[in-house]
Amino acid sequence: MKVITRRDFLKISGVAAVGLTISQLGFDLTAVQVYAAELRIKGAKETPSICCFCAVGCGIIVATDKQGKVINTEGDPDHPISEGALCAKGAASYQIAVNENRLRKVRYRAPYSDKWKEVSWDWALDKIAANIKKSRDKSFMEKNADGKVVNRTNGIASVGSAALDNEECWLYQKMLRAFGLVYIEHQARICHSPSVPALAESFGRGAMTNHFIDIRNADVILNMGGDVAEKHPVTFKWIQAARNRGATFIHADPRFTRTSSKADIYARLRPGTDIAFLGGMIKYILDNNLYDEFYVKNYTNASFIVGPKYSFDDGLFSGYDPNKRAYDKSTWALEKDEAGIPKRDMTLQNERCVFQLLKKHYSRYTMEKVTSITGTPQEDLEKVYKTYGSTGKPDKAGTELYAMGWTQHTVGTQNIRTMSIIQTLLGNMGIAGGGVNALRGESNVQGSTDQALLFHILPGYLPTPRAQWATLADYNKTTPSTKDPRSVNWWKNRPKYAASLLKSFYGEKATKENDFGYSWLPKLDPTQDASWLNLFDEMYKGTFTGFFAWGMNPACSSANAGKIRQALARLDWMVNVNVFDSETGSFWKGPGINPKNIKTEVFQLPCAAFMEKQGSITNSGRWMQWRWKAANPPGEARPDGEIIYDLFRKVEGLYKKDKGAFPYPILNLKWDYETNGRFDIHKVAKEINGYFLEDVPEHPVNKNAYKKSTLVPSFVFLLDDGRTSCGNWIYSASYTEAGNMAARRKKTDPTGLGLYPEWAWAWPVNRRIIYNRASVDRDGKPRNPDRAILKWDAANKKWIGDVPDGPAPPMGTQGVYPFIMKPDGVASLFGPGLADGPFPEHYEPLECPIEKNIMSSQRINPAIKIFKGGPDVFATCDPRYPFVCSTYRLAEHWQTGVLTRWLPWLIEAQPQIFCEMDKELAELKGIENGDRVVVETVRGKVEAVAMVTLRLKPLVIAGKTVHTIGLPYHYGWLYPKDGGDSANLLTPTVGDANTMMPETKVFMANVYKKKGR
Amino acid sequence: MAGKSFFIDTSKCTACRGCQVACKQWNRNPGTKTYQRGSYQNPEDLSYFTYKLVRFSELELDGKPRWYFFPDQCRHCLEPPCFYTAQSLGVKAITRDDETGAVLHNPKVKVKASDAKAIRESCPWNIPRWNKKTSGMAKCTMCIDRIKEGLLPACVKTCPTGAMNFGDRDKMLDMANKRLSEVKKMYPKAQLLNHESVRTIYLVIDEPKKYYQFAEAIDITGITRIAAMKKLIQPVINFSKLAG
């Protein structure tokens, strides 16, 4: 029988022309009926939610049937950021809700046992509470070695979690601080910690400056230190929207990725050489007068005079102490006049003015040097510099999008600082289509940072108390100040936020007389750094008996994961809360570990997934969005908030009953978030916003009267005398007497620039683009009238457009400087507050392929801490590890894969760990595409599938051929069994000089074909 | 011919694979067991459980890497050879919805392995797939259940960049032609694939073979269209008797 072959198709398309139709041939409608019988979601309940993966904050509609079962999840077409779109991960959300592998029961692993046992919630929480009390009482320190009051628990640590809702994060840190913990860390440390000091030093706040939709307003988009198509896929909607308008998209990255495939310009560079690449751009901008002169003179510290003690010589700034590996930053101070106001030279000619020092510093970053460091061909550098430099005109906007590619380095903070300098020079800050945009990688990592699940801050970026600040007055003395009347220095209000925070902690127990309970807060030693790497180092040394891994998987997510896995075995007990089992929860049965030797008692608590609870999360663009509950969690799983709420009650009960070490912070903690006997997340949300605690008949701000127990309208109304409470000042105005602002879904867009001011809520005070005062001239006129986010209405004396960065009139009309969060009121080209220098300087990664830094005699960042001994080993320029190696994420997975590996649609798309390498390297090592290989560093090895690709290329660095390889870090031994283990078994324990961000983006490795089977 | 069409603009596709997963989600297709084979593409191919697959192709052009993505799916031909072949074999598994033009396989109809093979081979794009366990055939349904209710197909709805588009055929053709003229300025080799014969219109910026072996149906040189038709009418008529 002759059948039609593939090749015949085009011929047959003419059949209709000779009079034959399908209908004539016999038409069977069954197939139509099979598919179109009834729309599955017809009549289903639709609940809006926000995706739980990256922090773009895409809308998801969760459909449930009459029984409350999730039957469909898809994009929310009304959502202004995603407009119905979801990437592979978001599209797979259904399988989080409907998944046979979800944790449904509380599980307990007894010391030395080789199996889990299912237990009841009550039994587990009672036992955990008893463990907490035991560990706390044993390790509680009222006074440190110097006799200073510290009131802290040294024996318990916590990591987690950016996967919690804002309210849960706030509640969790409140509980931990009541327990006296100072080792409080989470994903943010190893994700965007350098962004905060880099951006805060430059502009005043640590957050992404603009927001996702705003990317469409850019003329040039630079994605460097990031990889949007892989890590934040829906961002590409707005990149594409900008490109449709004619914008140019640049991707600079060591690997040619899915992002590069859509770039107008792609530039390759060696991992860890971004400062050299960008330093060259600073030089190019200055040499070619591409900077925005008005902006630089008026809105930056370019004209400020630096004190005579400042110097820079051969890679070292003044004030360096090699023994301490630290700088005396006082040598970088700005010069001030008699009134205490920084001296300026508006002509920018003074040789000690910031502008001239900047010029001098970057004059060393010549094309030749930059190319020899980065490996980027000069013509590519020039193309990038020229294109990006074109945005220095007032009517042009350039934006930068970055993520871990910049943060996870020993120079992480300075990578971001370098771009901040470029954006400041080009006048791209505070404008539509501009900004230095830190793309966050977990759905609520912005929120969890804001809520201060980090050792060094309290909610709203107030510093954690330290031993040297014995009283609240001492603490308040560290409040930033300025002598310049035209600088707003918003941080001057800090004492109000601190007092209101303490009131939210201890309620009526916090009184003026007792310093609002300040002494109950745990205090760090004067220079103590309790950040991630130190936390696990202490755990490895046996400092902690107890540990919470709440919504985290450090056994895979941490640098030098092998060390972490060993450290977990030194604990007496661990609480692990998650949606699925993880390599952390089950570490005691991991590869090479005999459970019989592991004493750690493990409690695994099953929690609700995002659509199974309500609460808010804050996306990367600072939008606080409410998620509604669509379904019940499976089995006995519970929302994290409820677990935290009950756990604290149990511990409190024990202290009420049995006393114990320093019980006051526990017994005096305000813990009243119930309605009708049930935990009520709205009460926490309101606590975060803040209340008037007494009638305020005539408020000092506006003379209005406010009633006791009403919600404060915003942080402007907070007081330092105990009459207000506020759990987090930057979230004040999010839940007011007008309602829950995060739950708003109105899509008006008065500026036409995509601000959507009535969709959800953005901190601070619903401002959508921070530093927006820098978008106008001295008279308040938009410098780019076509994309005006703000303008001053002189007649009515008010601002129109976005919520201005402070209500004061524009700078020229008795107004104020635009960068209100900086004591000097301007953006900092010169940043004397950082640990490793006021100007970014290129240093090699700790592990690098070249013996000598081409820029100076300092091979590595002189101010980084280097761990020594045990599992902390390093190998640089070592022939055993000749290849530069990097780790990264894929579009189909999220973080350690702790959620995504369990979702069949995603593990189908990216089933196993692989190692990408260039063809030349593969030939050199006799490796073919698809071979099984071993990737090895001095710390560990990982098996992977070889992916030999044209997308990686060797670079010539200082005359030497350098190959780069890389692996995604989404995998772990637990599941799937053939997926491979964590790439973090390879990465080094070394941190950034300012924030201890591990350098997981660049280290040295070897790769070879696996022998045998 | 009216009805609906897809316009798939590969120049905007970032291979986020939202479409691949959204398709599985809507159609309740399971994730299949896969292995890393040295490629981002997985599953390796379309299957009874995979109607939509983003194909990855990397190459070098003037010493620079290119990475082409091709979100492959049924073309919903105006005159579907799978249908004719099925008819010729007496297999009543395939039909077309007249309103939309969606070509549908009824997975509940059991098809013999050899017939399924013939049907698959008759597809110039190598789309339909057969399942050994159920003996049924399946492929993209154009989300007929969704589009009948005025919803977009799942793959289109989820696409972040505008690579996936769906609507009335004339509008999609307009959109495709307009976009082609824009893209051609940058990429002279840009083209639409078989757009006159199919309802899934792809725009590519380079030769289709560089994307995927079956991206485009290739005409046979040396045989005129009319001659080809004459050659084909015979079997079709004969087979139609069998179909009756």
Side-chain angles (χ1 to χ4, degrees):
Chain A
M1 187 189 300
K2 175 169 169 38
V3 290
I4 299 155
T5 66
R6 193 168 286 146
R7 298 185 334 132
D8 294 333
F9 168 72
L10 281 188
K11 296 174 275 181
I12 209 166
S13 22
V15 169
V18 294
L20 282 164
T21 68
I22 288 182
S23 309
Q24 283 171 297
L25 291 168
F27 199 33
D28 180 1
L29 280 168
T30 331
V32 182
Q33 285 155 1
V34 165
Y35 290 108
E38 169 86 309
L39 192 66
R40 187 167 76 243
I41 52 175
K42 218 172 196 177
K45 188 178 153 213
E46 297 195 330
T47 308
S49 192
I50 304 295
C51 181
C52 69
F53 295 112
C54 81
V56 174
C58 300
I60 294 184
I61 298 286
V62 182
T64 44
D65 65 12
K66 289 197 175 69
Q67 287 72 44
K69 190 173 169 278
V70 176
I71 52 168
N72 190 59
T73 57
E74 63 182 67
D76 178 353
D78 294 328
H79 197 281
I81 296 174
S82 53
E83 296 182 324
L86 292 174
C87 71
K89 290 188 295 297
S93 298
Y94 169 85
Q95 290 188 322
I96 298 178
V98 183
N99 193 308
E100 57 177 12
N101 289 313
R102 280 285 295 274
L103 291 174
R104 287 173 163 76
K105 296 259 190 195
V106 180
R107 299 201 293 181
Y108 173 72
R109 184 259 174 188
Y112 309 109
S113 167
D114 60 358
K115 53 182 170 296
W116 289 110
K117 192 176 110 187
E118 287 181 0
V119 295
S120 74
W121 273 106
D122 242 9
W123 185 89
L125 291 184
D126 278 337
K127 205 160 162 59
I128 295 166
N131 282 346
I132 291 170
K133 183 162 189 302
K134 192 176 162 199
S135 292
R136 183 180 183 274
D137 288 352
K138 198 175 120 197
S139 69
F140 198 84
M141 180 187 256
E142 291 197 22
K143 288 184 177 169
N144 66 7
D146 298 332
K148 304 269 192 220
V149 174
V150 291
N151 286 334
R152 66 171 187 247
T153 298
N154 289 324
I156 310 177
S158 164
V159 297
S161 172
L164 303 180
D165 292 347
N166 278 312
E167 297 73 24
E168 293 171 333
C169 288
W170 189 85
L171 202 64
Y172 186 49
Q173 63 82 35
K174 181 174 179 177
M175 174 177 79
L176 296 177
R177 292 189 160 110
F179 292 164
L181 267 67
V182 288
Y183 283 96
I184 300 171
E185 286 281 286
H186 79 293
Q187 288 98 332
R189 176 71 54 197
I190 53 177
C191 162
H192 261 292
S193 61
S195 295
V196 180
L199 296 171
E201 181 67 14
S202 305
F203 312 116
R205 300 182 183 93
M208 174 165 170
T209 55
N210 295 44
H211 61 100
F212 288 98
I213 299 167
D214 183 62
I215 297 166
R216 78 168 194 226
N217 297 319
D219 297 293
V220 181
I221 300 158
L222 175 61
N223 183 205
M224 179 172 175
D227 187 7
V228 277
E230 297 280 2
K231 282 82 178 178
H232 306 89
V234 176
T235 309
F236 233 93
K237 172 184 271 295
W238 301 108
I239 295 173
Q240 190 57 49
R243 294 177 82 208
N244 292 347
R245 280 182 39 244
T248 306
F249 176 57
I250 307 170
H251 190 218
D253 199 288
R255 294 184 307 136
F256 185 99
T257 69
R258 286 182 250 196
T259 306
S260 329
S261 78
K262 290 291 161 291
D264 300 297
I265 302 171
Y266 167 71
R268 191 186 300 281
L269 74 160
R270 173 166 65 100
T273 63
D274 301 70
I275 291 175
F277 188 106
L278 296 174
M281 177 146 34
I282 295 176
K283 177 172 159 50
Y284 186 91
I285 289 166
L286 293 172
D287 286 354
N288 295 287
N289 289 321
L290 298 174
Y291 58 94
D292 183 333
E293 196 181 339
F294 169 84
Y295 196 99
V296 166
K297 280 188 175 167
N298 287 281
Y299 296 163
T300 81
N301 67 6
S303 62
F304 289 37
I305 311 296
V306 178
K309 284 187 196 157
Y310 167 80
S311 67
F312 175 80
D313 183 34
D314 192 24
L316 283 178
F317 294 91
S318 48
Y320 186 65
D321 179 342
N323 296 321
K324 289 187 186 155
R325 295 188 62 82
Y327 286 103
D328 171 7
K329 292 190 271 186
S330 69
T331 65
W332 311 337
L334 296 167
E335 242 174 48
K336 296 191 173 167
D337 65 16
E338 303 73 38
I341 295 171
K343 286 188 188 168
R344 303 178 78 161
D345 171 19
M346 290 308 279
T347 68
L348 308 182
Q349 295 307 309
N350 187 309
E351 62 172 16
R352 278 195 290 111
C353 83
V354 166
F355 188 76
Q356 292 301 330
L357 292 175
L358 179 83
K359 239 182 167 164
K360 190 174 159 197
H361 190 87
Y362 291 101
S363 64
R364 301 152 49 240
Y365 287 76
T366 59
M367 286 280 186
E368 297 70 32
K369 273 196 174 160
V370 172
T371 289
S372 63
I373 294 168
T374 60
T376 314
Q378 274 197 40
E379 71 251 35
D380 289 353
L381 283 177
E382 244 179 294
K383 225 189 277 175
V384 175
Y385 293 174
K386 192 174 170 196
T387 308
Y388 204 79
S390 73
T391 64
K393 300 184 184 76
D395 63 345
K396 293 278 179 224
T399 187
E400 153 61 30
L401 313 175
Y402 76 95
M404 307 304 88
W406 275 353
T407 61
Q408 292 177 339
H409 293 276
T410 44
V411 291
T413 304
Q414 297 290 3
N415 280 335
I416 302 151
R417 269 281 298 153
T418 324
M419 192 65 206
S420 301
I421 291 174
I422 290 171
Q423 288 294 69
T424 306
L425 287 172
L426 296 171
N428 279 332
M429 297 308 298
I431 66 168
V436 180
N437 291 303
L439 303 189
R440 305 272 175 159
E442 296 109 359
S443 62
N444 193 36
V445 73
Q446 180 63 56
S448 57
T449 306
D450 301 335
Q451 311 305 345
L453 283 167
L454 290 163
F455 91 91
H456 68 294
I457 47 172
L458 299 176
Y461 302 93
L462 310 181
T464 301
R466 289 187 180 265
Q468 66 270 39
W469 310 325
T471 65
L472 184 58
D474 295 334
Y475 179 81
N476 283 339
K477 272 183 208 148
T478 62
T479 302
S481 66
T482 176
K483 297 273 170 57
D484 190 335
R486 302 192 65 192
S487 177
V488 172
N489 180 36
W490 194 271
W491 273 119
K492 71 186 170 210
N493 296 300
R494 214 181 73 187
K496 300 172 190 169
Y497 310 148
S500 298
L501 175 72
L502 288 164
K503 288 297 289 183
S504 78
F505 265 53
Y506 309 117
E508 287 171 2
K509 302 287 171 55
T511 62
K512 242 182 205 170
E513 291 67 41
N514 70 8
D515 249 4
F516 302 115
Y518 174 77
S519 67
W520 298 331
L521 282 177
K523 287 167 193 66
L524 293 159
D525 280 338
T527 57
Q528 188 180 356
D529 183 320
S531 65
W532 184 277
L533 292 179
N534 287 326
L535 184 158
F536 283 102
D537 197 49
E538 292 298 326
M539 189 186 291
Y540 182 80
K541 290 181 198 155
T543 306
F544 310 125
T545 48
F547 178 56
F548 295 96
W550 202 300
M552 284 216 67
N553 187 17
C556 286
S557 66
S558 183
N560 204 357
K563 177 179 175 182
I564 280 43
R565 294 174 186 186
Q566 290 180 55
L568 294 173
R570 313 221 163 146
L571 298 162
D572 287 350
W573 56 271
M574 172 172 75
V575 176
N576 176 227
V577 189
N578 226 321
V579 173
F580 294 99
D581 191 7
S582 71
E583 288 73 14
T584 301
S586 286
F587 82 94
W588 44 272
K589 52 175 174 172
I593 296 177
N594 183 353
K596 292 195 169 65
N597 299 331
I598 307 293
K599 67 169 175 178
T600 314
E601 194 177 27
V602 184
F603 302 85
Q604 192 167 51
L605 311 181
C607 63
F610 74 99
M611 72 282 272
E612 297 156 0
K613 61 183 181 184
Q614 61 170 334
S616 73
I617 57 169
T618 304
N619 84 346
S620 198
R622 297 168 287 101
W623 289 22
M624 179 196 193
Q625 305 190 86
W626 196 260
R627 298 199 281 211
W628 287 266
K629 181 180 168 177
N632 284 322
E636 294 175 12
R638 303 177 68 194
D640 299 88
E642 284 183 23
I643 304 172
I644 296 162
Y645 197 69
D646 285 1
L647 178 60
F648 177 78
R649 277 271 184 260
K650 298 264 188 196
V651 176
E652 184 192 33
L654 292 180
Y655 275 90
K656 273 183 180 160
K657 198 167 78 155
D658 303 330
K659 299 291 176 272
F662 199 70
Y664 315 108
I666 295 172
L667 299 180
N668 292 327
L669 201 70
K670 181 176 178 289
W671 203 256
D672 55 355
Y673 308 111
E674 284 168 47
T675 301
N676 300 326
R678 298 207 55 167
F679 174 67
D680 182 356
I681 202 87
H682 288 272
K683 285 206 163 156
V684 184
K686 290 175 184 175
E687 183 84 282
I688 292 171
N689 177 81
Y691 292 98
F692 290 106
L693 303 175
E694 293 172 27
D695 284 347
V696 180
E698 198 176 280
H699 197 285
V701 167
N702 60 1
K703 310 294 172 208
N704 286 352
Y706 292 96
K707 281 268 171 225
K708 181 181 173 176
S709 305
T710 57
L711 294 156
V712 295
S714 80
F715 55 72
V716 173
F717 298 89
L718 296 176
L719 300 166
D720 63 3
D721 57 9
R723 285 188 292 166
T724 57
S725 72
C726 175
N728 188 339
W729 73 276
I730 61 173
Y731 280 78
S732 193
S734 65
Y735 206 129
T736 67
E737 291 299 323
N740 181 358
M741 297 293 133
R744 295 183 302 173
R745 284 174 62 88
K746 208 168 150 194
K747 279 178 75 176
T748 49
D749 184 18
T751 60
L753 293 169
L755 301 183
Y756 297 103
E758 291 178 279
W759 181 276
W761 182 85
W763 73 257
V765 287
N766 207 30
R767 187 172 300 129
R768 301 288 161 141
I769 295 179
I770 49 182
Y771 318 118
N772 51 24
R773 298 178 72 95
S775 70
V776 297
D777 66 14
R778 294 171 60 90
D779 302 321
K781 288 199 197 88
R783 298 190 66 229
N784 180 1
D786 291 340
R787 275 166 264 169
I789 47 166
L790 203 62
K791 57 184 161 206
W792 177 247
D793 176 354
N796 296 304
K797 293 206 182 315
K798 63 169 192 180
W799 291 100
I800 299 168
D802 194 8
V803 177
D805 226 337
M811 201 166 130
T813 57
Q814 292 117 40
V816 296
Y817 302 142
F819 289 86
I820 63 163
M821 301 306 288
K822 290 288 298 177
D824 297 329
V826 292
S828 299
L829 292 166
F830 185 81
L834 296 177
D836 45 357
F839 288 130
E841 171 67 8
H842 168 74
Y843 302 107
E844 287 292 323
L846 179 64
E847 293 188 342
C848 70
I850 55 174
E851 301 271 359
K852 193 184 166 323
N853 178 358
I854 291 167
M855 289 310 297
S856 74
S857 308
Q858 298 298 319
R859 189 180 65 83
I860 58 169
N861 187 338
I864 54 171
K865 172 179 173 176
I866 296 177
F867 289 86
K868 285 190 183 114
D872 297 313
V873 282
F874 310 100
T876 194
C877 301
D878 183 327
R880 291 177 299 164
Y881 307 104
F883 310 120
V884 177
C885 189
S886 194
T887 58
Y888 40 82
R889 247 158 82 163
L890 303 167
E892 297 81 2
H893 282 292
W894 183 71
Q895 305 297 70
T896 66
V898 70
L899 290 174
T900 52
R901 277 185 272 134
W902 299 90
L903 309 189
W905 295 324
L906 296 178
I907 204 67
E908 175 191 48
Q910 288 288 9
Q912 292 170 306
I913 188 171
F914 55 86
C915 174
E916 290 182 298
M917 64 189 77
D918 66 63
K919 281 203 135 137
E920 291 83 341
L921 170 58
E923 265 168 45
L924 194 76
K925 303 289 284 186
I927 295 167
E928 281 179 42
N929 194 37
D931 279 352
R932 284 205 74 83
V933 294
V934 177
V935 184
E936 189 171 344
T937 68
V938 68
R939 290 160 295 276
K941 50 177 134 177
V942 172
E943 261 187 64
V945 177
M947 187 179 288
V948 181
T949 174
L950 297 163
R951 297 176 290 100
L952 278 169
K953 289 234 178 284
L955 293 169
V956 177
I957 307 296
K960 188 179 151 188
T961 301
V962 172
H963 298 276
T964 299
I965 61 174
L967 313 90
Y969 76 94
H970 299 299
Y971 299 90
W973 58 267
L974 181 68
Y975 192 85
K977 286 293 172 208
D978 61 358
D981 210 341
S982 174
N984 271 319
L985 292 165
L986 306 172
T987 54
T989 327
V990 64
D992 164 74
N994 292 282
T995 69
M996 294 292 283
M997 160 62 88
E999 189 160 63
T1000 36
K1001 280 290 174 196
V1002 49
F1003 50 91
M1004 297 303 289
N1006 190 18
V1007 59
Y1008 51 89
K1009 197 166 162 171
K1010 195 192 168 197
K1011 292 191 184 75
R1013 286 181 61 88
Chain B
M1 200 175 279
K4 301 290 181 184
S5 282
F6 292 89
F7 168 48
I8 303 184
D9 182 352
T10 66
S11 75
K12 291 182 178 173
C13 175
T14 66
C16 77
R17 299 205 267 190
C19 56
Q20 187 176 315
V21 174
C23 174
K24 293 228 163 193
Q25 202 276 150
W26 182 256
N27 291 297
R28 284 292 168 274
N29 275 331
T32 57
K33 178 66 195 165
T34 56
Y35 299 92
Q36 175 52 256
R37 297 159 288 105
S39 164
Y40 277 50
Q41 184 178 312
N42 247 325
E44 191 172 4
D45 199 358
L46 294 171
S47 76
Y48 183 78
F49 297 116
T50 304
Y51 306 162
K52 175 98 189 177
L53 174 70
V54 180
R55 298 186 185 275
F56 290 70
S57 166
E58 58 173 68
L59 54 140
E60 217 166 47
L61 215 68
D62 308 324
K64 300 216 159 149
R66 288 281 182 96
W67 208 3
Y68 292 150
F69 312 127
F70 193 82
D72 197 14
Q73 65 171 73
C74 173
R75 305 303 192 276
H76 296 282
C77 308
L78 301 184
E79 296 298 335
C82 62
F83 171 81
Y84 290 110
T85 306
Q87 288 291 323
S88 73
L89 298 168
V91 173
K92 292 189 176 183
I94 306 172
T95 190
R96 188 179 63 188
D97 174 54
D98 269 348
E99 186 193 350
T100 59
V103 176
L104 299 167
H105 284 202
N106 183 350
K108 290 184 177 166
V109 174
K110 288 194 190 303
V111 182
K112 282 192 297 189
S114 58
D115 289 354
K117 183 168 180 273
I119 291 168
R120 175 173 165 180
E121 296 217 323
S122 74
C123 172
W125 297 281
N126 191 19
I127 298 293
R129 290 294 189 276
W130 179 75
N131 180 257
K132 200 175 172 183
K133 228 174 181 174
T134 65
S135 294
M137 295 193 76
K139 60 157 199 69
C140 165
T141 69
M142 204 187 261
C143 280
I144 183 109
D145 47 351
R146 293 175 62 96
I147 61 176
K148 289 273 182 185
E149 295 288 339
L151 298 174
L152 287 170
C155 58
V156 176
K157 166 90 181 288
T158 207
C159 177
T161 61
M164 295 293 307
N165 302 277
F166 182 81
D168 291 339
R169 178 162 174 79
D170 50 349
K171 286 198 183 116
M172 287 299 111
L173 277 168
D174 278 357
M175 189 190 262
N177 282 311
K178 203 170 150 243
R179 178 68 183 159
L180 177 65
S181 61
E182 282 170 28
V183 174
K184 270 206 145 168
K185 290 175 207 157
M186 223 8 209
Y187 303 100
K189 287 183 184 167
Q191 54 193 283
L192 303 177
L193 304 182
N194 307 122
H195 61 289
E196 285 170 353
S197 314
V198 297
R199 291 184 184 276
T200 303
I201 304 155
Y202 285 89
L203 184 154
V204 293
I205 61 166
D206 202 344
E207 291 144 23
K209 278 234 167 344
K210 290 185 178 165
Y211 287 77
Y212 168 51
Q213 178 187 0
F214 297 119
E216 186 189 33
I218 307 299
D219 204 342
I220 299 151
T221 50
I223 305 176
T224 66
R225 206 171 167 80
I226 289 166
M229 264 191 288
K230 274 186 187 152
K231 215 174 162 191
L232 271 165
I233 285 165
Q234 190 62 29
V236 169
I237 289 169
N238 285 345
F239 293 153
S240 72
K241 279 180 200 156
L242 298 172

